[in-house]
Amino acid sequence: MSWYRNAVWFVKGLREYTRSGYESASKHFSPADVEVNVAGRSFLVTGANSGIGKATAKEIARRGGTVHLVCRSKERAEVAKGEIVTETGNPNIFLHIVDISDPKEIWKFAEKFKNEHKLNVLINNAGCMVNNRELTEDGLEKNFATNTLGTYVLTTALLPLLEKEADARVITVSSGGMLVQKLNISDLQSERGTFDGTMVYAQNKRQQVVLTEQWAKAHRNIHFSVMHPGWADTPAVRSAMPDFYQRMKNTLRTEAQGADTVVWLAVSPEATKLPSGLFFQDRQPVPTHLPLASTRSPPEDEEKLMEMLEGFSQKFKPTSPG
């Protein structure tokens, strides 16, 4: 059935995920939803030096929020920070250099961050699509390490900080590509079969949806959401999917359009009126499975994923803070 899932997803994408899909959906947006002042609230955005992460950080900064940019490249991050400060006039932009594919580094950062800052909203945006199987220094497959384990470690490490705040939120940037994947907990690091970076990425994005649903059940005081930004013209798409980019470049969304729902989920009072744990596209909750696609997994597999990630997480946790 994989051919069917792929075909349905692509047709759906042509209709909804491109720029014209955003323009159609945005006719029903309420501008007042995001016309808010979030001064005094603290936001952490991973992968914030380019693409949807930077566009998100910029929009939050425009609304007065304190923004923590978590980036891997210091040089590119400094440029992004300068651009955000200059364009928004908001000086409360802070930079943290962290490799989200390195769980030990994430733990170290999170412990330090918890001692020095407050946090109202965590935005898990950092991600990668590596098209050949690569291992990190810790022996982790790089897509899994960044997209799934990195998201899990950072979120769980910061949950105690979020629990302290009113109206705390966690937003994870996923992908509609997850619709073609059924959760597979038997091969988290893609060690078996032919390696297909696009499908590994889609599997990671399915895992992020499951994480969000599981966290929402376990942490009632925090509003969790996961979203699909549509097909946007970002540096990541250009580098990881050059053929797709060349075919679709004239129809792709802008970075700001891709970031719109992230911003809405992060700042709008309307977003938290909806249940925690939902998957969003263009400010609306949407199904996490295509009709007839056979991508649903048993609850025990979803619980097992959490157990396995916790095992990985604890393996890399420092024995003492910092």
Side-chain angles (χ1 to χ4, degrees):
M1 290 290 283
S2 62
W3 67 268
Y4 169 81
R5 294 198 297 264
N6 290 345
V8 172
W9 171 73
F10 191 73
V11 170
K12 180 181 174 69
L14 289 174
R15 187 174 67 248
E16 298 179 18
Y17 301 164
T18 54
R19 189 186 312 137
S20 63
Y22 174 84
E23 289 168 351
S24 176
S26 66
K27 293 174 183 175
H28 306 286
F29 293 171
S30 169
D33 283 3
V34 292
E35 290 174 357
V36 293
N37 185 324
V38 291
R41 284 175 65 78
S42 174
F43 301 76
L44 189 154
V45 186
T46 66
N49 63 277
S50 68
I52 288 167
K54 185 171 79 171
T56 298
K58 197 177 288 185
E59 290 305 315
I60 292 169
R62 287 191 210 283
R63 291 160 175 78
T66 295
V67 186
H68 295 273
L69 312 177
V70 173
C71 307
R72 187 178 57 183
S73 165
K74 189 174 191 299
E75 184 179 351
R76 284 181 292 169
E78 292 282 9
V79 172
K81 176 186 173 181
E83 182 182 321
I84 292 168
V85 170
T86 300
E87 288 192 23
T88 67
N90 184 342
N92 297 314
I93 313 298
F94 300 92
L95 196 54
H96 310 272
I97 305 305
V98 186
D99 184 347
I100 297 295
S101 73
D102 185 337
K104 295 192 297 295
E105 198 173 311
I106 297 170
W107 272 117
K108 184 177 179 181
F109 158 72
E111 292 300 331
K112 186 171 187 290
F113 189 90
K114 283 191 288 189
N115 290 329
E116 297 176 354
H117 304 283
K118 73 167 195 170
L119 183 63
N120 299 95
V121 181
L122 168 62
I123 299 170
N124 291 307
N125 167 73
C128 74
M129 184 193 294
V130 178
N131 289 311
N132 297 300
R133 192 171 188 273
E134 293 180 21
L135 300 183
T136 68
E137 289 183 5
D138 295 309
L140 300 167
E141 190 277 315
K142 197 163 188 179
N143 293 293
F144 166 75
T146 306
N147 302 326
T148 302
L149 185 59
T151 297
Y152 179 86
V153 174
L154 183 63
T155 304
T156 53
L158 293 176
L159 282 174
L161 198 57
L162 289 159
E163 293 275 12
K164 295 178 181 178
E165 301 297 332
D167 190 18
R169 310 183 190 192
V170 175
I171 300 127
T172 300
V173 178
S174 183
S175 165
M178 68 90 194
L179 291 167
V180 305
Q181 286 285 309
K182 179 179 180 178
L183 178 66
N184 176 14
I185 59 171
S186 68
D187 190 21
L188 289 182
Q189 300 211 64
S190 310
E191 296 170 280
R192 299 197 290 272
T194 303
F195 187 90
D196 181 334
T198 304
M199 289 300 105
V200 170
Y201 177 83
Q203 173 65 210
N204 296 160
K205 295 300 173 177
R206 167 63 70 187
Q207 292 161 1
Q208 290 179 341
V209 170
V210 173
L211 289 180
T212 299
E213 293 169 345
Q214 294 295 310
W215 281 327
K217 293 176 187 175
H219 302 277
R220 302 289 186 176
N221 295 332
I222 300 171
H223 191 272
F224 291 88
S225 56
V226 59
M227 59 78 67
H228 174 37
W231 294 341
D233 186 352
T234 66
V237 168
R238 293 184 183 206
S239 63
M241 304 175 70
D243 293 341
F244 173 82
Y245 172 74
Q246 285 301 322
R247 189 163 69 248
M248 303 296 296
K249 62 183 179 182
N250 294 326
T251 65
L252 297 177
R253 297 179 177 203
T254 65
E255 293 172 347
Q257 290 171 343
D260 177 82
T261 296
V262 190
V263 176
W264 181 81
L265 288 166
V267 307
S268 174
E270 296 303 309
T272 52
K273 292 178 181 177
L274 293 161
S276 182
L278 298 181
F279 180 61
F280 287 83
Q281 177 188 315
D282 292 332
R283 303 191 190 183
Q284 292 291 325
V286 293
T288 56
H289 300 277
L290 293 168
L292 308 176
S294 304
T295 52
R296 297 182 187 277
S297 51
E300 53 266 31
D301 280 9
E302 298 179 357
E303 292 164 9
K304 182 64 175 177
L305 173 67
M306 303 302 282
E307 291 175 17
M308 295 171 78
L309 293 177
E310 182 62 15
F312 275 110
S313 177
Q314 291 300 319
K315 177 182 174 183
F316 295 105
K317 186 176 183 179
T319 52
S320 59

